[in-house]
Amino acid sequence: MSGANLTGACLRGANLREEKRVYCANLRGANLHRIDLEGANLTGADLSKVNLSGANLRDVMFRDADLSWADLSGADLTNAFLTDANLNGANLQGAKLKNVKLERSKLLEANLREANLSGAIMPDAKLTKANLTGAIMVGAVLNRADLSRSSLRGANLTEASLIDAYLARTNLMNANLTNANLARAELSTANLVGTIFQGATMPDESIYK
């Protein structure tokens, strides 16, 4: 299926697990609800506005893929590779993103409400205005990430690494940052009402007690 054009196609519930080479395919606007693509290679694919809700996307290679405004709600992306991917405006509410690779990915205005991002690798990610309310981000790596004007209200960032992260006007109300590393992070205009910093390394590199 390499380079295939399936714009607007309906592959609802299909099993393409054996079709490993799907890179550079055009699936824009396709209905792939609950599809099984575990381990597939979708490098450079156009998946903008595609419906991948509830899909099995474990270990999928999405490097350089366009997933802007895609519906990935409830999808399982455990161990997926999304390095340099475009996820602007994507709906990832309730998605499983454990140990996902999101280096330099774009997630502007993305909906990650209550998503599980435990162990996610996200250095240099762009998350401006993203909704991460109630997200689980235990041990996530967000060094140099841009989280300005995003919502992390009630998020669990225990032991997360936010070194040099940009959190200007970010909503961290009631977020849990226990033992997190915020060295040199920009927090001066963030909403910190009820935020838990127990044992965290603060922007001035002091330990919060």
Side-chain angles (χ1 to χ4, degrees):
M1 290 180 67
S2 300
N5 187 340
L6 295 169
T7 303
C10 180
L11 295 169
R12 183 185 178 103
N15 185 342
L16 296 180
R17 187 179 293 192
E18 300 305 318
E19 182 55 65
K20 297 297 186 182
R21 301 176 66 187
V22 198
Y23 56 84
C24 292
N26 184 351
L27 292 155
R28 181 181 175 87
N31 183 358
L32 306 176
H33 174 64
R34 296 186 64 83
I35 197 169
D36 186 348
L37 283 167
E38 184 172 349
N41 186 347
L42 285 155
T43 298
D46 184 352
L47 294 153
S48 54
K49 299 183 179 179
V50 74
N51 180 4
L52 282 162
S53 57
N56 178 9
L57 304 170
R58 296 173 66 94
D59 299 302
V60 172
M61 174 65 74
F62 285 111
R63 188 182 184 97
D64 293 312
D66 184 357
L67 288 148
S68 57
W69 304 101
D71 184 356
L72 293 145
S73 56
D76 187 351
L77 291 114
T78 302
N79 297 321
F81 292 82
L82 288 143
T83 302
D84 296 309
N86 179 0
L87 289 142
N88 290 339
N91 181 8
L92 291 139
Q93 182 166 338
K96 297 177 183 176
L97 293 148
K98 292 181 69 174
N99 302 316
V100 73
K101 309 297 187 295
L102 282 159
E103 297 99 328
R104 300 179 302 279
S105 57
K106 300 179 183 69
L107 291 134
L108 281 68
E109 300 185 18
N111 179 11
L112 291 142
R113 188 182 183 95
E114 298 178 351
N116 189 338
L117 288 145
S118 296
I121 307 300
M122 307 174 70
D124 302 298
K126 306 299 182 187
L127 290 142
T128 304
K129 295 184 179 180
N131 183 358
L132 289 146
T133 301
I136 301 170
M137 306 178 78
V138 176
V141 177
L142 291 145
N143 299 338
R144 301 176 305 280
D146 184 352
L147 290 145
S148 57
R149 292 178 287 172
S150 63
S151 175
L152 286 155
R153 182 169 181 161
N156 186 350
L157 288 142
T158 301
E159 298 184 351
S161 181
L162 292 134
I163 298 169
D164 293 311
Y166 189 60
L167 295 140
R169 296 173 63 187
T170 299
N171 185 358
L172 285 160
M173 181 181 288
N174 298 324
N176 186 350
L177 286 147
T178 300
N179 296 327
N181 190 341
L182 292 150
R184 301 182 303 280
E186 173 53 57
L187 278 172
S188 60
T189 57
N191 181 351
L192 303 177
V193 175
T195 305
I196 300 169
F197 288 109
Q198 186 67 37
T201 301
M202 301 305 287
D204 63 0
E205 302 189 38
S206 64
I207 304 298
Y208 189 92
K209 297 180 180 179

